[in-house]
Amino acid sequence: MTSSDKILQAVKGGKLMASAADNLNAWLQGGLPAWAQSSLAELIERGEWSELNDRFYRYLEFGTGGMRGRTIGKVAAKAETGTLSSTGSPEHAAVGSNLLNEFTLMRAVIGLHRYIAQYLATQKSTAKPKIVIAHDVRHFSRHFCELAASTWTRLGGEAVIFDGPRSTPQLSFSVRYLKAHTGVVITASHNPPHDNGFKAYFTDGAQITPPHDKGIIAEVDAVPLSAVHEFLTKDISKVVTLGRKADDDYLATAAQALLDPTVFKKTTLSVVFTNIHGVGAIASIPLLHHAGVKVTEVPEQLAFDACFPTVQSPNPENAEALSLAVALAEKGGHDLVMATDPDGDRMGAAVRNKAGKMELLTGNQVGALLADYRIAKYKELGWIPAAGTPAAAIVKTFVTTPLQDAIGRGHGVKVINTLTGFKWIAGKMRVWEEKLTQAMGPGFDYDATPFRERARLLQQHSTFYLFGTEESYGYLPNDSLRDKDGNSACLMFAEVAAWVKARGLTVPEYLDEIYLKYGFFLEGVINIYYEGASGAAKIKRILDTYRAAPPPAFGDTKVTRFQDFGREKFFDADHEQIPAQDLYLVTLANGYSFAARGSGTEPKMKFYLFAQESVKGAADLPAAKAKAKTTLDALKALIEADARSRAEGKG
């Protein structure tokens, strides 16, 4: 029986989805290399239909974070595994239309090149399409980077790469710095070790947004599998590799995150830092050292390692990922722990509390602390009026704590809420940049204008971006680059910690000061993972049933408002319309609320919960905290139970 016969039989027997069979047959007939053909033949022969469903039920798609997926299958074929590298990587990335491998990567690169070439033509530009490509430490990252660069130059473009792993924020900066037309970073951020990804950036250094995202996807979808074969052999002879100056210029820009350099002279701040085997130490440690911060590294996690052997997940959102750093801080009496994820765009922290113990902070708490401190510091320095101004703004996502909305209002500055993903925050910067550039007229160079002067001009003609944040541990101090920056976040938060210490307080005590001003806010998150083809169907079922039959209540608490961003029109504080998305905001009778959405970067359904309790004075704060936690925990259980019921078609 041939492979085609076995596939047909599996479809008839309900073991293989029709879409998976179509894609699998197309790949078998697509002239794959011998090792790839052998891998698929082995999986078919073994009857690994569940694995083949996951690999082929669709083509890997772009989400809020670009294209991200498995590069190592759950079930591996012998030809894929081959001889393991010294770092534990299989010989080949797994074969499949829904995986990140040479074939799906090349389709993405070819499609991106076609779109950029067309875009330049509409701009009447004769320049060659120029791309900057960075990569992290994951399996196949360097190989994918060089292969993408090789393909780009063979297509007639200019490609620039780094001499080794670099952070995602440095890629964002470099696109602007080198005046490239696009950029790519090969990373799966904080995903598990078996994943990798392809994040695409546009001319402004931000991740792609409409209409460019749909245009690029259309071009990628139009690339046949047969078109990639001629590019599978690397030739990087025409690829430019960046030198030390590119690193120095990024570090100089990231250092502008520090608003008050004198703060580190007023007290000694001792920090434990971990890069969790990723790229963070390349820039974060030099930034902290240069500012005068005493840094102790976690030795077990310093070396690059695609397997992330010391953690269950290389995600600074998870307490377990910071456990070695926290233990080191407890032992050595250090003030602060900071950790960056594998591609260096997120930062997690733990601080010493009044009892002398290390205490983990959430992304919402860190963002609130940074927002309050930085707005107050800008006022103190005279960058913005003491009473605030609507011409200066903080930008956050809808799923980030409403405490930051309260902080912004309290300081008299504008607060912009965006969809999830830092590309939407960057989109606001682009609007404000374009407005200023238009006002200043021909010859005005936005990036060349000194930061302080740019801040003044933006307040005069547009809006000055003060700070941006999302709850998932992403922060950006200014608009010199256009993606969240874990490196500058380390510097920003070290400044806050030093300022607090110089006041004789702890960071949690500063957070309590904020609560006493604006009320107590507590957040929670529910992540429900559903992998593969069947998992995608379950996530879709939750989203569809929320729209068709919104929840009327949770326990005894009624739903008072249900906002559907996919069907209703919403506008931000600039009166700009929010793009449609499968995002739901649900408000309850007790004033609590939550947001629901499918993750754009991982196979999961996400719920973001928000509790709020009024506080009249310091004596009320402990009771408010306890009430919020108890109520939120109960609500969390009800929401999750309802979601799982909907996923199984029972809701």
Side-chain angles (χ1 to χ4, degrees), residues 1-3 6-7 10 15 38-52 55 73-81:
M1 190 182 290
T2 66
S3 290
K6 289 177 182 176
I7 291 169
K15 296 178 179 178
S38 173
S39 297
L40 294 181
E42 179 189 335
L43 293 172
I44 293 167
E45 179 64 30
R46 285 162 48 187
E48 299 286 0
W49 303 118
S50 177
E51 175 72 7
L52 289 166
R55 289 187 182 209
K74 290 182 190 175
V75 178
K78 291 178 182 177
E80 290 171 346
T81 304

Side-chain angles (χ1 to χ4, degrees), residues 147-315:
L147 194 58
S150 166
T151 301
W152 196 270
T153 58
R154 290 170 69 177
L155 288 166
E158 296 180 23
V160 179
I161 64 174
F162 298 88
D163 60 8
R166 291 297 190 281
S167 65
T168 290
Q170 184 165 354
L171 181 280
S172 174
F173 167 79
S174 298
V175 170
R176 293 180 70 88
Y177 165 70
L178 297 171
K179 300 190 184 304
H181 305 115
T182 186
V184 163
V185 59
I186 308 297
T187 180
S189 189
H190 57 285
N191 277 34
H194 53 62
D195 285 358
N196 213 326
F198 176 100
K199 286 202 286 191
Y201 291 74
F202 208 59
T203 55
D204 61 343
Q207 289 184 55
I208 55 170
T209 53
H212 304 299
D213 56 352
K214 291 180 181 176
I216 291 169
I217 290 166
E219 289 297 333
V220 172
D221 288 345
V223 178
L225 186 63
S226 58
V228 311
H229 301 311
E230 63 181 291
F231 300 107
L232 292 176
T233 302
K234 285 188 291 191
D235 175 9
I236 59 172
S237 60
K238 295 180 181 178
V239 175
V240 175
T241 301
L242 293 168
R244 175 67 183 270
K245 187 177 186 303
D247 292 334
D248 289 344
D249 287 339
Y250 165 68
L251 287 170
T253 299
Q256 291 181 348
L258 184 61
L259 295 181
D260 182 9
T262 68
V263 72
F264 296 115
K265 294 175 180 159
K266 297 172 184 174
T267 187
T268 301
L269 189 72
S270 178
V271 170
V272 172
F273 173 82
T274 176
N275 49 294
I276 319 179
H277 305 289
V279 302
I282 296 171
S284 292
I285 290 177
L287 282 171
L288 291 168
H289 276 311
H290 184 72
V293 179
K294 183 182 176 184
V295 181
T296 300
E297 298 149 14
V298 178
E300 302 95 326
Q301 296 178 326
L302 188 59
F304 297 152
D305 196 322
C307 296
F308 309 110
T310 63
V311 294
Q312 292 177 8
S313 169
N315 187 349

Side-chain angles (χ1 to χ4, degrees), residues 332-351:
H334 303 284
D335 301 304
L336 173 64
V337 165
M338 292 188 289
T340 52
D341 67 346
D343 66 320
D345 64 350
R346 298 170 190 252
M347 185 275 291
V351 294

Side-chain angles (χ1 to χ4, degrees), residues 374-453:
R374 293 181 72 79
I375 298 170
K377 184 58 66 173
Y378 272 127
K379 289 180 176 182
E380 181 185 316
L381 295 171
W383 285 50
I384 64 173
T389 170
I394 61 171
V395 192
K396 58 180 282 290
T397 62
F398 283 106
V399 299
T400 298
T401 177
L403 173 57
Q404 292 176 31
D405 298 79
I407 289 169
R409 288 192 301 269
H411 278 288
V413 301
K414 183 164 58 180
V415 180
I416 297 284
N417 279 279
T418 72
L419 295 175
T420 308
F422 233 87
K423 65 181 183 180
W424 301 111
I425 295 175
K428 293 305 302 185
M429 299 183 217
R430 180 169 59 249
V431 169
W432 296 334
E433 175 185 353
E434 289 172 352
K435 188 175 180 182
L436 175 59
T437 302
Q438 219 171 34
M440 299 303 292
F444 176 71
D445 190 326
Y446 190 87
D447 286 335
T449 304
F451 183 40
R452 178 74 185 262
E453 175 64 7

